[in-house]
Every structure is written in structure tokens, then in C-alpha cells.
Amino acid sequence: MKALVWRGVNQLAVTQVPDPELRNEQDAIVRVRRSATCGADLHLLGGHLPLLRRGDVLGHEFLGEVVEVGPRVRRHRVGDRVVVCSVVSCGRCGPCRRRQFSLCDNGGTGPALGGQAGGPSPGGCYGSSPALGGFAGSHAEYVRVPYADRGAFTVPDGVTDERALFASDAAPSGWMAAHLAGVRPGDVVAVWGAGAAGQLAARAAALLGAERVVVIDRLADRLRMAERHVGVETLDHGTQDVGGELRELSGGRGPDVCIDAAGAAAPGGGWRGRLGQRFRPAPDRAVAAREAVHHCRKGGSVFLLGTYPGAVDRFPLDTVLAKGLNLRGARQHGHRYIPMLLDRMARGELVTEHLATHTMPLDRAPLGYDTFRNRLDGCVRAVFAPEP
Ligand SMILES: [Zn+2]
Ligand SMILES: [Zn+2]
């Protein structure tokens, strides 16, 4: 089959790889109908932790059709249209029983992510490094889905592929951030980053009853998109006084909940990108996280959703303490939210099609990543689809 593989730092190629096969009784094989790029991929492409191996197939957000099932798959049969959680979890271990699915003990059985500092490996993820299970990714014609009864979710009729695709990762990530940050009716919520996860965190906050939701970014086209499709307020980081405006719209106290959906910017190609963060911590990358801590109200909640590979310095830990903040972060516990999100998508409460700004065949995936990485032409997500 055809797949998009990693060939080295910021080098991608579409090439032939072996078809996936059932390896366990709970596996399914899914023929991919839609697969999206994600900001987390850009850190992988740049050769930063967690490391890829040459020839690894990329992509972790996808939707498709079941074409084969193992003998112990009960919930799915051949022909089902399913969206697959980007996180691989068994559904039965201690963390899964606590509904912390991205911490699954059996999803990623590779080496620990960051050695002693990083602790044990979290759950698995498609299209990622051996530390996250080494599962082949979704920018391919077919994907092996382990624990298919847990990780694949039947898409309701009437929900388009473009909408349901975002139930794989961006929508549950955004919902989890708003939920675990404790958004309550009447809250003021600020979200850094107007990409897919940021817009969907903002939408989740609104659906959870927040009175005012404001999205902060430097990209004017994304801010206009958030206003128009998500119905939230926006602040332009490049031209507006973010701290002053946030105080103003929260009665002087600061937002109750601050969500960092921006993370560290992934460096581009070239030698700077190659050397940039690989071997030493970059001290000044945590702009969004630092602002979230600075601007949050006393006793408020800060949630980290964005990716910060490696170590981060100059983080205002004393402010966390002095303001009594609730500081938290997680990779998405998607299995907990996806059925509810698909219901909301079916009811039209959660609309995501606008995020798929660039749809193209898999053959053009390297170009798609270039467009996505450099945010060309208003790109929020590149989506790869089979030829019609
Ligand atoms: Zn993702
Ligand atoms: Zn588990």
C-alpha cells in the first residue's frame, strides 16, 4: 500500500510499504478515508523527542472503513464507518479504569519517553515513536487498529467525514482541556492558539456554560475563523495588549480558566530547525504557558494542551504558588469523550468542517505538510483522502 513515511529531519516521501495485518485477536484493519495533519507531528518531523525511525508512517488523526476484524472484536464489523482515537489504550488496565486513557499501561510498551525525568511511557499513539508504541500511522491506505472495540467509534449516519474526523483528536483534546480545567457556567475562559484544538477547546468551554470565551493568536485568518465558526471573542497577540484586554473582560481579576493550546512553535526546516531543540533546552519557548499563568485569576485553573518537547526554562513556578493556581496538562483521554462528541456532532452543536482547510490525495501529502507547517494559504489542517 501507499503511505507517507519519515525519511529524516523534515524529509517526507510517499512510498510503498507492506499492508498491515491482524496481529492480535482484538485488532481491526481500517481503510483510511480521511487523515489529518496535527501540530504534534511537526515536532516529530523535526527529529525532536520522541524520535521517529526512518521509514515510520506518519499520522494519528483518522477516520475510515473497517475492512477486517480479529476474532475478539465485538462492536465492529466489516463495512462500519469509524473514527479512531489517536491514542491507543487497552481499556482494562488501572489508568484506563480511572478513565485516564492516554496513560494506558498497555498502549505504548516501548522505552520510557524522557528517561528518568520523563518517567514511564504513557499510552500509545499512531504514527509516533517506539516510545509511544511504534504503531504505524494513518497517512496510509490502511491502518492496523489495536483494541478496536475500545479505540474505534462508529460514526452516526449524517455526520460527514470532515466533521467526524476531528473526533479523533482535536475535539476530544479540546473538550478534555475545558473539562479537566473545571470550566463552569459563568466563567471567563481564555484559550491560547486558534488552531483546531484551540478552537475546539473554546467551543467546549462555551458548551460547558462559560459566559465569555476568548481565543488568542497571532494569525488574523484563524482569529476570524474562530469568530465566525466557533462564535467566540478573539485577541490578536501581535497588535493587542493581551493582559490588559483579559483583565478588562473579566472585571479586573483575570480569566477563571486559561488553556494553552499553542505549545512551543515547531522549528521549520534548515539547519537551525535541525539543531534547534534537539540537544539542549530552548529557554524561551513557553510563551503561551507563561502568559496563561501570568494572566489567570488568583485561584484559577491553567491547562496545558500544547506540546513542549524537551525541557522548558524560565517558567514562573512561583506565580503558580503565589496565585494558588491549579496547573494541569494531559494528552487526550479521547475514549472518555468521543461518543458524546459524536452525538453533539450529529445534533449540529459541534461543527468542525471549516478546520479541514486543505483536502488532497495522499500522493500530495509532502506538499500538504509544507503548507501546514508554514501556515500557507490560511492552512489550519491538511487532510489526506483517497482519490475519488
Ligand atoms: Zn493530533
Ligand atoms: Zn489501558
Side-chain angles (χ1 to χ4, degrees):
M1 68 166 181
K2 259 190 300 199
L4 178 74
V5 302
W6 190 75
R7 281 271 175 84
V9 173
N10 289 326
Q11 291 177 47
L12 298 173
V14 176
T15 185
Q16 289 288 323
V17 301
D19 285 352
E21 293 173 352
L22 298 176
R23 286 169 59 185
N24 287 302
E25 295 183 327
Q26 302 173 58
D27 288 355
I29 304 294
V30 167
R31 186 175 65 83
V32 178
R33 289 165 63 115
R34 294 288 185 280
S35 179
T37 59
C38 172
D41 292 331
L42 299 180
H43 293 286
L44 288 173
L45 299 190
H48 307 130
L49 290 170
L51 294 168
L52 289 176
R53 298 161 298 192
R54 272 170 218 276
D56 277 350
V57 179
L58 289 157
H60 58 265
E61 309 188 1
F62 65 107
L63 169 145
E65 185 184 321
V66 176
V67 292
E68 207 179 338
V69 292
R72 283 179 58 204
V73 173
R74 305 268 179 266
R75 287 191 196 165
H76 298 295
R77 53 185 62 189
V78 171
D80 281 3
R81 186 169 63 119
V82 294
V83 62
V84 179
C85 184
S86 65
V87 166
V88 176
S89 317
C90 75
R92 301 176 65 168
C93 67
C96 283
R97 280 202 303 273
R98 287 192 290 276
R99 310 186 81 195
Q100 296 173 313
F101 293 96
S102 70
L103 307 179
C104 175
D105 287 336
N106 302 314
T109 51
L113 257 185
Q116 279 189 322
S121 263
C125 181
Y126 296 93
S128 200
S129 74
L132 296 176
F135 298 103
S138 59
H139 298 333
E141 292 177 280
Y142 298 92
V143 185
R144 177 174 80 95
V145 175
Y147 310 116
D149 279 345
R150 306 290 175 177
F153 299 84
T154 301
V155 177
D157 292 341
V159 178
T160 63
D161 285 356
E162 282 72 19
R163 186 173 296 186
L165 168 63
F166 290 94
S168 173
D169 185 314
S173 296
W175 195 281
M176 176 193 70
H179 175 228
L180 296 186
V183 171
R184 283 190 291 203
D187 276 356
V188 174
V189 177
V191 180
W192 276 256
Q199 289 192 35
L200 295 173
R203 181 64 184 145
L207 287 168
L208 287 167
E211 191 176 304
R212 299 187 77 168
V213 182
V214 58
V215 173
I216 301 147
D217 204 299
R218 292 171 192 276
L219 297 173
D221 47 358
R222 291 191 178 188
L223 294 175
R224 278 197 300 277
M225 187 183 263
E227 288 167 8
R228 186 158 152 231
H229 294 281
V230 189
V232 293
E233 301 172 63
T234 59
L235 286 174
D236 188 326
H237 200 282
T239 61
Q240 287 178 281
D241 168 16
V242 170
E245 296 287 342
L246 289 177
R247 276 193 301 280
E248 180 79 31
L249 60 83
S250 58
R253 66 181 195 276
D256 303 285
V257 170
C258 292
I259 296 171
D260 168 11
W271 66 271
R272 280 174 194 280
R274 258 167 250 180
L275 293 178
Q277 293 161 30
R278 187 157 177 182
F279 300 112
R280 59 193 161 83
D284 210 25
R285 293 181 296 134
V287 176
R290 196 165 52 223
E291 287 190 5
V293 165
H294 274 307
H295 298 315
C296 194
R297 77 157 161 83
K298 290 187 286 185
S301 212
V302 173
F303 197 93
L304 304 181
L305 199 55
T307 310
Y308 290 98
V312 166
D313 208 343
R314 293 196 212 170
F315 191 75
L317 283 176
D318 203 51
T319 309
V320 175
L321 184 147
K323 289 167 79 170
L325 298 178
N326 172 22
L327 174 63
R328 207 169 168 183
R331 289 165 63 236
Q332 64 138 340
H333 304 313
H335 305 65
R336 180 169 179 176
Y337 303 105
I338 290 172
M340 174 272 292
L341 294 169
L342 288 171
D343 282 349
R344 289 184 189 269
M345 286 176 169
R347 292 200 298 269
E349 291 176 15
L350 196 60
V351 176
T352 58
E353 285 90 337
H354 65 283
L355 300 168
T357 50
H358 293 67
T359 301
M360 60 191 73
L362 183 61
D363 285 322
R364 293 175 62 203
L367 174 73
Y369 264 92
D370 202 49
T371 308
F372 174 62
R373 174 169 52 222
N374 296 304
R375 296 164 172 180
L376 304 175
D377 188 28
C379 186
V380 175
R381 288 292 173 97
V383 173
F384 310 126
E387 305 263 16

